[in-house]
């Protein structure tokens, strides 16, 4: 029977962070194989597109002036400055999807995640960790897209980000992409069963005579209740 509990049907807001090279983007990409009914938010940024990146698919690329106008008009759920560039989550689409019962995933850095933690209590915060710091630097080097000094900069930033790990609800070590993705999926599923989502519990459904047992237990012995 499924009508004993009425739970909140809004989508869950899932915030995923982790240092560069932790594999958080790959996990979200792989999540499509394990989970439906979710939307991966597209952020706005003032950084330049990298090779292969497309406006409206990877990010909404915009000028500093456009971004600052967005801040002024309160268009961002959160925003942060990272490596001298702005990054922000547009508010409108997020709310639209959550209200439709669709889960929304934000892959954002730590400062932005902590801002959301202050304002949206029910959001789920997941931190993705590399298996070791040696593996992290190996992954950054393997990408081959950045200079050695940029790699070191990202490596140092990783230490700072990992310092904030206890402010998250869950940590997933990404030693194997598939395993880590399944764990993220399990966390999201588990949260759907959280008692925090309960709106009402119907123990005494008036259409059922079963609650009469609470007043008169003889009815059970006498087989007077139709089970
Ligand atoms: P990248 O330039 O490598 O694409 O992203 C740099 C960092 O910014 C990553 O940690 C990424 O998750 C984060 N980021 C991407 N979009 C947003 C956003 O909307 N808000 C915040 N706070 N961080 C973001």
């Amino acid at each position: 029977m499924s009508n004993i509990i009425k739970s909140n049907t809004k989508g869950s807001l899932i915030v995923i962070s982790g240092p560069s090279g932790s594999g958080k983007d790959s996990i979200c990409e792989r999540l499509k194989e394990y989970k439906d009914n979710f939307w991966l938010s597209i952020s706005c940024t003032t950084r330049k597109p990298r090779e292969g990146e497309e406006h409206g698919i990877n990010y909404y690329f915009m000028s500093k002036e456009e971004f600052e106008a967005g801040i002024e008009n309160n268009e961002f759920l959160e925003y942060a400055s990272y490596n001298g560039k702005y990054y922000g989550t547009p508010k409108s689409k997020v709310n639209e999807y959550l209200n439709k019962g669709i889960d929304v995933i934000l892959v954002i850095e730590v400062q932005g995640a902590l801002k959301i933690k202050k304002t949206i209590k029910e959001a789920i915060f997941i931190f993705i960790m590399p298996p070791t710091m040696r593996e992290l630097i190996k992954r950054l080097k393997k990408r081959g897209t950045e200079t050695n000094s940029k790699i070191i900069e990202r490596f140092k930033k990783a230490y700072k980000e990992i310092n904030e790990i206890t402010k998250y609800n869950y940590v997933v070590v990404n030693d194997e992409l598939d395993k880590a993705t399944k764990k993220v999926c399990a966390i999201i599923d588990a949260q759907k069963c959280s008692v925090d989502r309960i709106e009402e519990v119907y123990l005494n459904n008036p259409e059922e005579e079963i609650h009469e047992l609470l007043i008169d237990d003889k009815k059970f012995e006498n087989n007077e209740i139709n089970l």
Side-chain angles (χ1 to χ4, degrees):
M1 247 190 235
S2 61
N3 56 357
I4 196 163
I5 280 174
K6 179 173 173 254
S7 290
N8 187 335
T9 55
K10 260 184 92 173
S12 309
L13 182 65
I14 300 122
V15 179
I16 299 186
S17 305
S20 210
S22 60
K24 55 191 189 302
D25 292 309
S26 311
I27 288 178
C28 290
E29 198 45 46
R30 184 62 65 92
L31 209 52
K32 291 176 189 157
E33 286 174 27
Y34 293 104
K35 182 171 162 49
D36 51 16
N37 206 36
F38 79 96
W39 180 70
L40 204 53
S41 168
I42 304 168
S43 297
C44 297
T45 184
T46 58
R47 83 149 163 78
K48 296 269 168 294
R50 295 187 190 123
E51 212 182 303
E53 284 184 334
E54 280 181 54
H55 181 79
I57 293 184
N58 305 93
Y59 280 104
Y60 295 107
F61 296 99
M62 53 177 64
S63 66
K64 189 167 175 262
E65 290 70 29
E66 283 172 312
F67 198 101
E68 285 174 347
I71 299 175
E72 198 64 23
N73 296 329
N74 197 23
E75 285 169 13
F76 295 112
L77 190 63
E78 61 73 38
Y79 69 93
S81 174
Y82 184 91
N83 286 342
K85 302 290 175 193
Y86 281 127
Y87 292 82
T89 307
K91 208 186 266 183
S92 60
K93 277 261 161 59
V94 172
N95 290 334
E96 186 187 315
Y97 281 106
L98 291 177
N99 288 333
K100 280 185 191 159
I102 297 170
D103 295 339
V104 173
I105 301 186
L106 311 181
V107 184
I108 62 176
E109 52 69 66
V110 173
Q111 303 166 68
L114 297 183
K115 278 187 201 162
I116 293 193
K117 197 169 181 205
K118 280 195 191 132
T119 50
I120 308 177
K121 298 282 174 238
E122 66 275 20
I124 309 165
F125 295 85
I126 307 175
F127 197 93
I128 309 294
M129 282 282 266
T132 63
M133 294 311 275
R134 179 182 291 272
E135 176 61 24
L136 184 87
I137 202 155
K138 262 169 69 181
R139 288 180 189 172
L140 291 174
K141 202 170 165 202
K142 211 167 141 193
R143 280 184 186 171
T145 50
E146 268 154 11
T147 59
N148 282 346
S149 68
K150 270 266 179 275
I151 293 176
I152 293 297
E153 201 180 295
R154 284 185 185 266
F155 187 63
K156 285 183 182 164
K157 201 164 192 105
Y159 275 85
K160 284 201 186 130
E161 288 169 328
I162 292 170
N163 253 328
E164 306 286 1
I165 197 171
T166 53
K167 296 181 180 144
Y168 285 69
N169 305 119
Y170 300 93
V171 58
V172 172
V173 176
N174 182 17
D175 44 1
E176 241 180 76
L177 183 59
D178 219 46
K179 267 203 215 159
T181 309
K182 283 183 187 161
K183 282 183 190 166
V184 168
C185 207
I187 291 166
I188 300 171
D189 283 349
Q191 204 70 16
K192 299 280 178 212
C193 305
S194 165
V195 287
D196 293 344
R197 289 179 72 89
I198 295 177
E199 287 177 344
E200 246 169 293
V201 181
Y202 304 108
L203 289 182
N204 295 332
N205 184 344
E207 284 160 26
E208 293 178 10
E209 61 202 343
I210 192 84
H211 63 281
E212 289 173 24
L213 287 178
L214 295 173
I215 320 154
D216 184 358
D217 51 7
K218 286 266 180 315
K219 287 200 167 190
F220 189 69
E221 276 166 39
N222 300 339
N223 270 334
E224 284 173 41
I225 300 286
N226 205 5
L227 292 175

